[in-house]
Amino acid sequence: MTLHDWWFLLLGAVLFLHLGLGSIDLGICLLSLFHPQEKAEAMLGSIDSVWHANQTWLVVLGAMLFGAFPTVYGEVLPRMYGLVILLLVALALRALGLEYRHHAANPEPWRRLAGWGAAAVVLAEGLLFGALFLGVSEATALYGLGAVVRPVFFPALLFLFCCGLLMGGAWRLGRLRRTHADDPDMRLFAALTLVGGLGSALSGLLLCAQLAEGSALMPWPFLVPLCIVGLADLVVLCASLRPRWLGSPLPWALGLIGLVLAACAAIVRAALPAADGFGDGVDLWFLTLSTAVLLPPLLAFQIFQYRLERPTRRHAHTPQVEPAEEERP
């Protein structure tokens, strides 16, 4: 394997972190649109400590794409500036909604802004990833905004939307279980997780079929075991949604997204020698050394944020404050 092969794997891992963890934020923000104010605030409050760290991986992904694969960066993104600007505006609006709801006299409009901003993020990011995987020849109108009306990009968009349902539902369900909350909406979140899981698997299959179209080389020795493992993961995910299951379905949801991305990456990598689509990076060894230094602290901070968020750790050692004695005259 060459250094570019390792960077291809690393780029896929960062894409997995971005889609897997970032879909928690997107899913929670989207689902909060359909809940009353108190429950919507509780849902958004559950991601207050992690959404900043989750968003870091999008920046890392863009930097890696620019440094390791400048040909893709230079050919795809300039033709898709409309979608890129839409994505940046949507990210900013969602962040404003999440942050300013704490300081506003009427936080409801800001909660709505966070939800609709997340919907715009799903739209822009799904079309961008579709153009990145499938090519930009059919999406260059209006600097990429023409991709909105192109059905060829809908599987990628559907996959991202289903990932949001899957991860948002699994996150909320796992949190309610950890806090031992008797919430009547637990069945609703379990159903949303199931729909998101099935939708992610089906839309992932459609995306793989699009990527494999016209490709003479298919990595069947890798794809067949991957499909078997994916089916087993989907079965365990369904079992984890039962009320008697102890624990969160979140790891199995993450595993399903990772398996779909692994299948897409294998098909893309098999077609690369003929397509010659990536080109050479600029001073890739320097980029490799820099990433080796910077990536471990980012991962450590991400793990720290999620461990800090856990309600069992947050409240397990809360000191009991004795009531103060009344002063006697």
Side-chain angles (χ1 to χ4, degrees):
M1 292 181 65
T2 65
L3 190 58
H4 272 92
D5 294 326
W6 287 109
W7 267 99
F8 184 82
L9 294 176
L10 183 60
L11 192 70
V14 173
L15 178 61
F16 163 68
L17 288 173
H18 168 60
L19 287 185
L21 301 179
S23 292
I24 295 175
D25 311 336
L26 296 178
I28 290 295
C29 290
L30 287 173
L31 294 177
S32 69
L33 291 172
F34 305 97
H35 284 78
Q37 295 186 18
E38 293 184 0
K39 290 188 176 181
E41 178 57 36
M43 293 173 65
L44 295 178
S46 69
I47 61 172
D48 276 340
S49 61
V50 298
W51 75 268
H52 298 85
N54 292 345
Q55 211 57 50
T56 304
W57 297 111
L58 179 60
V59 181
V60 176
L61 184 66
M64 286 184 173
L65 189 64
F66 173 76
F69 305 108
T71 303
V72 175
Y73 190 93
E75 290 185 359
V76 174
L77 293 186
R79 302 183 186 181
M80 308 294 292
Y81 274 151
L83 286 177
V84 172
I85 293 174
L86 175 61
L87 175 60
L88 294 177
V89 171
L91 288 170
L93 292 177
R94 190 194 62 162
L96 285 174
L98 288 173
E99 292 290 344
Y100 277 81
R101 80 183 202 278
H102 296 297
H103 310 286
N106 181 17
E108 179 61 17
W110 297 101
R111 284 194 288 262
R112 294 289 175 180
L113 182 63
W116 290 114
V121 170
V122 171
L123 174 65
E125 209 167 48
L127 296 176
L128 269 175
F129 284 133
L132 184 63
F133 290 148
L134 303 175
V136 296
S137 59
E138 300 183 52
T140 55
L142 298 176
Y143 295 98
L145 294 177
V148 177
V149 296
R150 301 295 300 183
V152 69
F153 297 103
F154 286 0
L157 181 60
L158 180 62
F159 175 68
L160 205 66
F161 175 75
C162 290
C163 285
L165 285 183
L166 172 63
M167 297 303 297
W171 174 265
R172 188 62 182 160
L173 182 61
R175 188 177 178 86
L176 291 174
R177 286 178 177 176
R178 289 198 303 268
T179 55
H180 304 287
D182 187 15
D183 196 317
D185 287 340
M186 289 184 68
R187 292 184 178 180
L188 172 63
F189 289 116
L192 290 173
T193 305
L194 179 60
V195 171
L198 295 174
S200 298
L202 293 176
S203 58
L205 289 176
L206 290 176
L207 189 57
C208 288
Q210 284 183 316
L211 294 172
E213 187 177 357
S215 177
L217 299 175
M218 288 292 294
W220 294 114
F222 180 77
L223 290 178
V224 172
L226 202 65
C227 291
I228 297 175
V229 175
L231 183 60
D233 183 89
L234 190 60
V235 171
V236 177
L237 175 65
C238 295
S240 70
L241 302 178
R242 300 174 60 186
R244 296 182 180 180
W245 184 280
L246 299 178
S248 171
L250 198 64
W252 311 107
L254 276 172
L256 183 62
I257 294 176
L259 291 169
V260 172
L261 290 178
C264 293
I267 296 173
V268 170
R269 188 64 188 90
L272 277 183
D276 193 19
F278 279 88
D280 296 324
V282 178
D283 203 357
L284 198 55
W285 280 109
F286 176 78
L287 183 63
T288 302
L289 294 176
S290 302
T291 304
V293 173
L294 297 175
L295 200 57
L298 290 177
L299 287 170
F301 178 71
Q302 183 84 68
I303 295 171
F304 170 75
Q305 288 290 336
Y306 275 88
R307 291 178 66 86
L308 189 66
E309 182 274 336
R310 295 187 63 178
T312 53
R313 291 185 176 271
R314 184 182 299 174
H315 302 297
H317 304 291
T318 303
Q320 299 293 328
V321 179
E322 297 293 337
E325 295 184 359
E326 297 183 358
E327 293 185 1
R328 297 180 180 178

